[in-house]
Structure formats: structure tokens, C-alpha cells
């Protein structure tokens, strides 16, 4: 059975009889994920390996907004590496964004096996959470970009696009608006992405305008990996909504998406195991305690933008027919459930 001590020890774990998503507590205790753009004028950019999130309380911090729309530079007019793509004529942002060849590249690109199209041929790239890196390719190649995602542990999505970049390191006096070069960009993301996150339409570097064309994004549609000690994953239509009369719901932990936390069911498994350990060390007067033997891991999105990993925990196994919570409203904001899978403790 549950005790006040358990709640105090795992402040990130919330106990309540209803299994409705605890939107009020999430809004109060957790900052929204910081949305990140891929950098401009770099050939590759792979962040350092992420650190596993703490299972104990996640402290709320204010999300920092990144405003990169206007970048004042003190460049030396030194050349940047030439891109592999064609440069439209005239060499203007408008011509780049309306180039029919770029649109054809995006529209004709194959969807890699194991992936599903999120959006196609947009004029903006992703500005999302859990940025995992950037590669510059020699062609519009969704298969190579998917291969990079497959090789990166925890990669859940990728964005392929063309970017209009300056040929030199611009400065306001000597080379404020240099000729352009066209780069084929491939960015990797550690959480599922949505079309609502395609908001990076470019920026200025002095008088030079960086713009985007032919932007395609893909989410992995394969199930998440197996977790040691658990049977699964079992795909669910929504989040588990078990009968409240069963008393099997043990609570949840929530992990906002960030550069150190993406969609990883192992995080939920660790929380489930930690809860069992704690409860066994703080049993009821008769010596009984509840063991976490089943968890439901899913992506919680706000207004179509993925926010974090939600882990619901139970001391009883529930089948897919109970996966009926598809989302909720909080005021005018709509929260939805996706990538919902369950895992059962192995015998």
C-alpha cells in the first residue's frame, strides 16, 4: 500500500486514484522543453552523449527562448565550405524558396523503411526539443539521413532540407550580402516531431538571408526497444485507463524532453523498479507493499508539439483494450497521447 513517506521520497511520482493525465501538476512543476534550431554555417554538429535523467525529483526551471532571427556578425569574409546543391538564378531568397527543382527533390524523396512522413516540402526546418546533431550531405538523400538516425542511439526522427547559406563569413562593411551556396542538411532528433515544430524559416546574417526549402521530416514508426527484465513492448491505442476499482494504479513519473532525455522506455522501467524498491523498504503495518509490475510509456503532446515522456505505473497487468485515454484538454490547450506502449515485468 502507499504511504506519505513514498510520496515524499519520490516527489516526481504522483499518486491518485484517477488515471487522468495530471496536467495541472505538470504545468506547475515542469518547464516546457526548450525548442532548438540546428546551427548555420557548420558542416556537422554532434552534441556530446546525453546523460540519463534522474529518477528522483525533476526541478522546474524556466524555459529559455532562443531568438536567432537576426545575427550580427563580425566576420572576416573568409570562405565557408561550398555546398553541393545548385544555386537558383537570380540568387535571391525568394527564388530559392520557390525553386521547382528543390520542391521536386522533397516530393520525390523516398520514405525510408521503418519511418513515417511527418511533413513534406515545407519552407521551414524543425525547431524542436532533444536535438541530436547535424550532418551536411552531398545530395538530397533521405536514406542516408535515416541511416545516421539508425546509428544514433535514441534517435526518433530526422529532418532533411535545403538551406541557403552565405559563401563567406559575412560582416556588415566588407561583405554584408555575399553570394549564396546551397547545402543539403540532415538533422537528428531524440523525440518524435510534429509539423507544428517546423518553425525555423531562417535568419539574417548581417544583410544575408538564410532560408529553407524542401523540408521533409520523418518519425520512426518501429516500436521502441525491448527493456531488460520486462516483456514488451505492447502497442496501445492510447494511454492505459484501468478500472479505478482495481486499485492497481500506482502513479506516474514525467520527464520533459530535453537534450538529455528523449523517448526511452528504460527510463520508465527504472522508475517502476525504484518504486518497488522503495515500497518494499516501507511496507504497511502488516508487512504488505505494492510492487510495480507493469508500466505504460507514452509521448505527451501539447497542441501537437511533443512535450515529454509520461510513465504510468501499475501493480497489475492490463491489456490493449484498456488503452482508451487518447488525451485531454486543459483550458483551450489540447493534450494528446502518442507512441503509447506497455511493458510487463518478466517472471
Amino acid at each position: 500500500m502507499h504511504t506519505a513517506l513514498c510520496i515524499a521520497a519520490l516527489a516526481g511520482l504522483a499518486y491518485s486514484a484517477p488515471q487522468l493525465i495530471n496536467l495541472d501538476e505538470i504545468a506547475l512543476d515542469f518547464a516546457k522543453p526548450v525548442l532548438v534550431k540546428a546551427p548555420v554555417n557548420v558542416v556537422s554538429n554532434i552534441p556530446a552523449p546525453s546523460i540519463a535523467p534522474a529518477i528522483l525529483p525533476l526541478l522546474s526551471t524556466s524555459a529559455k527562448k532562443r531568438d536567432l532571427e537576426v545575427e550580427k556578425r563580425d566576420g572576416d569574409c573568409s570562405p565557408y565550405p561550398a555546398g553541393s546543391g545548385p544555386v537558383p538564378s537570380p540568387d535571391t531568397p525568394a527564388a530559392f524558396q520557390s525553386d521547382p527543382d528543390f520542391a521536386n527533390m522533397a516530393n520525390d524523396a523516398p520514405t525510408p523503411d521503418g519511418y513515417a512522413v511527418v511533413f513534406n516540402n515545407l519552407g521551414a526546418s524543425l525547431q524542436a526539443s532533444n536535438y541530436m546533431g547535424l550532418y551536411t550531405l552531398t545530395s538530397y538523400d533521405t536514406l542516408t539521413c535515416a541511416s545516421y538516425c539508425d546509428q544514433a542511439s535514441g534517435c526518433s526522427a530526422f529532418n532533411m532540407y535545403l538551406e541557403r547559406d552565405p559563401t563567406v563569413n559575412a560582416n556588415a562593411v566588407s561583405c554584408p550580402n555575399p553570394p549564396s551556396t546551397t547545402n543539403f542538411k540532415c538533422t537528428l532528433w531524440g523525440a518524435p516531431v510534429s509539423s507544428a515544430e517546423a518553425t525555423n524559416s531562417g535568419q539574417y546574417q548581417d544583410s544575408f538571408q538564410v532560408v529553407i526549402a524542401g523540408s521533409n521530416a520523418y518519425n520512426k514508426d518501429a516500436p521502441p526497444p525491448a527493456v531488460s527484465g520486462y516483456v514488451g513492448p505492447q502497442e496501445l491505442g492510447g494511454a492505459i485507463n484501468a478500472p479505478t476499482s482495481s486499485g492497481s494504479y500506482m502513479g506516474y513519473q514525467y520527464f520533459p524532453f530535453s537534450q538529455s532525455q528523449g523517448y526511452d522506455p528504460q527510463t520508465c522501467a527504472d522508475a517502476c523498479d525504484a518504486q518497488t524498491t522503495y515500497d518494499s523498504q516501507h511496507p504497511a503495518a502488516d508487512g504488505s507493499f505494492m510492487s510495480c509490475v507493469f508500466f505504460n510509456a507514452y509521448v505527451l503532446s501539447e497542441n501537437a508539439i511533443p512535450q515529454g515522456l509520461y510513465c504510468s505505473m501499475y501493480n497489475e497487468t492490463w491489456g490493449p483494450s484498456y488503452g482508451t485515454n487518447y488525451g485531454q484538454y486543459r483550458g483551450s490547450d489540447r493534450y494528446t497521447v502518442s507512441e503509447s506502449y506497455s511493458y510487463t515485468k518478466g517472471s
Side-chain angles (χ1 to χ4, degrees):
M1 57 186 295
H2 310 304
T3 68
L5 285 175
C6 188
I7 298 173
L10 293 178
L13 181 64
Y15 289 93
S16 59
Q19 293 152 73
L20 293 177
I21 304 167
N22 199 330
L23 301 178
D24 289 337
E25 185 168 278
I26 288 174
L28 178 66
D29 292 344
F30 300 95
K32 293 182 182 297
V34 177
L35 304 184
V36 181
K37 300 176 183 179
V40 176
N41 299 133
V42 296
V43 174
S44 65
N45 172 244
I46 310 301
S50 60
I51 300 173
I55 297 301
L56 292 178
L58 295 176
L59 300 179
S60 176
T61 56
S62 298
K64 298 178 180 179
K65 294 183 178 179
R66 296 191 177 194
D67 183 4
L68 299 178
E69 295 307 311
V70 179
E71 184 180 356
K72 295 298 183 182
R73 302 174 63 84
D74 186 20
D76 57 3
C77 296
S78 60
Y80 285 126
S84 300
V87 175
S89 180
D91 184 4
T92 64
F96 187 94
Q97 291 181 305
S98 62
D99 190 292
D101 290 336
F102 295 166
N104 289 338
M105 290 179 194
N107 290 328
D108 295 342
T111 299
D113 289 341
Y115 288 83
V117 177
V118 179
F119 56 78
N120 175 253
N121 193 32
L122 297 187
S125 60
L126 284 169
Q127 181 169 299
S129 59
N130 206 243
Y131 169 69
M132 291 188 66
L134 161 73
Y135 294 91
T136 300
L137 308 184
T138 57
S139 63
Y140 196 102
D141 189 350
T142 52
L143 300 183
T144 293
C145 196
S147 177
Y148 281 126
C149 186
D150 290 340
Q151 295 172 56
S153 177
C155 183
S156 296
F158 71 87
N159 185 195
M160 185 79 221
Y161 57 95
L162 299 103
E163 185 174 87
R164 180 181 189 263
D165 291 325
T167 51
V168 302
N169 189 359
N171 69 45
V173 176
S174 303
C175 51
N177 189 18
S180 77
T181 191
T182 300
N183 281 304
F184 297 106
K185 296 294 183 77
C186 161
T187 58
L188 311 183
W189 304 87
V193 298
S194 74
S195 58
E197 295 172 294
T199 58
N200 180 18
S201 57
Q203 63 189 67
Y204 279 91
Q205 293 185 355
D206 291 313
S207 298
F208 184 90
Q209 187 177 0
V210 176
V211 292
I212 308 297
S215 180
N216 289 6
Y218 305 82
N219 280 335
K220 280 188 176 179
D221 61 6
V227 174
S228 179
Y230 286 81
V231 177
Q234 170 68 60
E235 186 174 8
L236 307 173
I240 289 291
N241 189 18
T244 55
S245 59
S246 70
S248 70
Y249 177 57
M250 297 180 66
Y252 74 94
Q253 279 214 57
Y254 175 73
F255 301 91
F257 287 144
S258 66
Q259 190 161 310
S260 62
Q261 172 58 43
Y263 183 86
D264 184 0
Q266 182 65 55
T267 303
C268 295
D270 291 344
C272 185
D273 292 341
Q275 188 58 40
T276 297
T277 297
Y278 185 87
D279 280 2
S280 68
Q281 295 170 346
H282 300 82
D286 62 1
S288 63
F289 63 92
M290 294 180 73
S291 297
C292 181
V293 300
F294 176 85
F295 68 83
N296 178 197
Y298 60 88
V299 174
L300 179 66
S301 296
E302 178 188 7
N303 300 323
I305 297 178
Q307 299 292 306
L309 173 65
Y310 200 102
C311 308
S312 297
M313 289 172 273
Y314 298 81
N315 78 332
E316 184 178 348
T317 298
W318 298 98
S321 63
Y322 291 93
T324 57
N325 184 353
Y326 307 109
Q328 300 164 207
Y329 279 88
R330 183 174 183 265
S332 60
D333 293 320
R334 184 182 181 185
Y335 289 79
T336 52
V337 171
S338 63
E339 303 292 314
S340 182
Y341 291 87
S342 65
Y343 293 77
T344 302
K345 191 75 173 175
S347 57

